[in-house]
Amino acid sequence: MSAKKRQRQSFIDWVDERVGIKPALNEMLYHRVPRSVSPLDFLGLASLFVFINQFVTGMLLAMFYQASSSTAYQSIQYIMTKVPLGWVIRDLHYWGANAMVVLVAMHMLRGFYVGAYKKPREITWITGVVLLFITILFAFTGYLLPWDQLAIWAVTVGTNMARATPLLGHQGPFGPQLGMTPRYDARAFLTAGTLVGAPTLLRFYVLHCIFIPIIASILMILHFWRIRKDGGISGPL
Amino acid sequence: MCGWETGNETDLCDECAGKATHSNDLSRRRFLGWGAVAVGGLIGIGYLGSALRLLYPTSVGGPGKLQDIGPVDSFPVGQYILTSYTGDGYDDGVYVMRQTGSQFIALDFHCTHLQCPVQWFQNLERFLCPCHGSQYNKYGQHIAGPAPRGLFHHTIKVASGRVLLGGQIT
């Protein structure tokens, strides 16, 4: 046993004595997996990796992006042409967003086909389904932020669907009876008005950068905790 | 029971302690473990390096490299002359006009709509864009067409009778 090894051991002991980190480390580093693993077992890990990529590049982009209708488009032009490596960071975020939707959808399909939603893994499945919708919400809110024609009209079309929400949309079943009007319904709540405009941009930006990441992080902690406790789908119950 | 489970060195099995049967051998587990750490570390360094480069302050928006474009007297008062600025590493068309004695104005010749080169018309005293009809007055201010703003200015200075042209400013 080398001296370096002894020192590392004692540091981990020091932390463990105070916060009890050893069971968690053991679970993470020495987790037993079956001998036969398939690339499909790693779709969740790949999604996590892309999420971390989105988190890091998103924080960096937020230092240059200006979420106001008069500056949003120009600030992205500035990132793409003037900021050193700005185009790399934005392209990582852009392609990461596309990859994440694909990976998370594949991850869900795989879980569905192998019956991973069955008892006792229901909590993993339910949080996973919510996380799938969260991923799509991430993509949808992020789509508006470049503030070009594509963004504005895509979000106009997307939010128009909310008009037909049952009970909460003014064109949906029982919406008018509950007092929904074009000005006060689910769509107006999303777009902060009757049109996709400057208030929508700010609302989507705050949803994209604050609300959704916090909800996603909490659900991911739940999701990972249950995977470790119940065993991954690749292992026997 | 080995590794973190017991925390006791003497309980470590050979594999967990990184010891293979022969003292100089690298166990498969240890090799893969360090391999994963190395790949992860490389990816991390890539991100960290890009982030530092991204956040490093730049001189964009400053005067840029100054470039001598000739003596003051070679510029007739009240007339735009198309010249080029190469200080950014590429040819960039710039309209330069002597307003009075040593007062100069320098305008980037790209329309702010879709970057088409604008044309100066002396008789109209306007810049016209051939692509979508944007118009600018003789100070580069936007007066008609789809452009969102006026032409971009360049830094311009006069020093000991020479006109010095700099990079693009807003």
Side-chain angles (χ1 to χ4, degrees):
Chain A
M1 186 64 50
S2 65
K4 195 179 277 182
K5 184 106 188 166
R6 197 181 304 278
Q7 201 179 351
R8 193 173 69 196
Q9 201 68 43
S10 69
F11 173 71
I12 290 168
D13 284 337
W14 188 91
V15 178
D16 183 60
E17 211 181 328
R18 283 150 186 86
V19 295
I21 199 176
K22 266 183 189 170
L25 273 179
N26 206 26
E27 188 56 39
M28 280 188 276
L29 297 175
Y30 295 100
H31 185 74
R32 291 198 173 264
V33 292
R35 203 165 269 282
S36 61
V37 287
S38 132
L40 295 174
D41 293 336
F42 296 95
L43 285 171
L45 185 71
S47 309
L48 173 65
F49 176 75
V50 177
F51 179 81
I52 293 168
N53 170 70
Q54 296 305 91
F55 210 96
V56 172
T57 54
M59 285 194 295
L60 293 170
L61 288 173
M63 294 194 187
F64 297 94
Y65 178 71
Q66 296 169 336
S68 117
S69 58
S70 58
T71 53
Y73 182 73
Q74 274 178 19
S75 67
I76 285 180
Q77 297 271 297
Y78 179 75
I79 289 169
M80 292 301 280
T81 57
K82 297 283 167 69
V83 178
L85 292 188
W87 62 278
V88 173
I89 300 295
R90 184 179 172 229
D91 280 356
L92 275 173
H93 200 77
Y94 176 88
W95 289 108
N98 286 282
M100 187 150 164
V101 173
V102 173
L103 285 170
V104 167
M106 283 166 69
H107 183 47
M108 188 216 64
L109 283 175
R110 204 275 170 132
F112 181 75
Y113 287 135
V114 301
Y117 49 83
K118 290 175 186 170
K119 194 181 175 186
R121 301 192 178 101
E122 289 99 328
I123 301 296
T124 315
W125 174 258
I126 292 165
T127 50
V129 170
V130 180
L131 279 167
L132 172 72
F133 284 109
I134 292 267
T135 305
I136 292 166
L137 271 181
F138 261 127
F140 185 61
T141 51
Y143 206 39
L144 182 65
L145 305 184
W147 204 239
D148 51 12
Q149 288 292 316
L150 180 64
I152 290 168
W153 293 110
V155 170
T156 299
V157 170
T159 54
N160 273 347
M161 292 182 213
R163 286 173 171 166
T165 314
L167 308 176
L168 296 176
H170 75 273
Q171 292 173 341
F174 306 110
Q177 284 84 343
L178 286 170
M180 295 298 151
T181 63
R183 188 141 186 81
Y184 298 102
D185 72 343
R187 180 178 190 269
F189 185 78
L190 277 173
T191 56
T194 51
L195 289 171
V196 174
T200 319
L201 178 63
L202 187 59
R203 182 160 289 196
F204 272 44
Y205 182 61
V206 174
L207 282 173
H208 188 80
C209 301
I210 298 173
F211 281 72
I212 304 178
I214 289 174
I215 296 168
S217 303
I218 293 168
L219 285 169
M220 279 163 69
I221 291 167
L222 263 172
H223 194 71
F224 300 156
W225 172 57
R226 285 327 303 173
I227 289 167
R228 285 307 191 186
K229 285 290 174 188
D230 301 330
I233 51 175
S234 49
L237 284 174
Chain B
M1 290 283 279
C2 66
W4 313 110
E5 256 170 72
T6 60
N8 189 342
E9 288 167 11
T10 54
D11 286 348
L12 293 174
C13 63
D14 283 353
E15 270 185 318
C16 295
K19 284 181 198 159
T21 322
H22 306 289
S23 56
N24 283 334
D25 281 358
L26 190 61
S27 76
R28 175 186 155 90
R29 176 171 297 187
R30 203 170 156 80
F31 173 76
L32 289 175
W34 281 111
V37 169
V39 170
L42 277 178
I43 294 174
I45 288 169
Y47 274 93
L48 191 67
S50 309
L52 289 177
R53 181 75 189 95
L54 181 88
L55 298 176
Y56 194 77
T58 62
S59 59
V60 169
K65 223 182 285 174
L66 289 174
Q67 176 185 321
D68 191 337
I69 54 167
V72 174
D73 294 335
S74 64
F75 291 90
V77 175
Q79 269 186 38
Y80 269 108
I81 287 175
L82 182 60
T83 172
S84 82
Y85 177 69
T86 53
D88 284 333
Y90 50 87
D91 256 337
D92 194 9
V94 180
Y95 279 105
V96 173
M97 179 180 75
R98 187 178 177 188
Q99 292 176 296
T100 56
S102 63
Q103 277 280 321
F104 279 82
I105 181 169
L107 299 170
D108 199 88
F109 88 151
H110 292 107
C111 177
T112 54
H113 177 223
L114 291 172
Q115 324 305 322
C116 294
V118 294
Q119 198 79 34
W120 169 247
F121 288 88
Q122 186 73 47
N123 51 345
L124 296 172
E125 294 216 315
R126 278 183 187 184
F127 291 101
L128 304 184
C129 178
C131 292
H132 307 95
S134 289
Q135 299 186 20
Y136 306 87
N137 68 12
K138 69 172 177 176
Y139 303 108
Q141 290 160 331
H142 172 239
I143 47 179
R149 52 158 291 157
L151 295 173
F152 284 95
H153 283 251
H154 275 250
T155 305
I156 191 152
K157 285 177 180 169
V158 174
S160 55
R162 308 290 295 185
V163 183
L164 302 174
L165 183 60
Q168 184 178 299
I169 50 177
T170 49

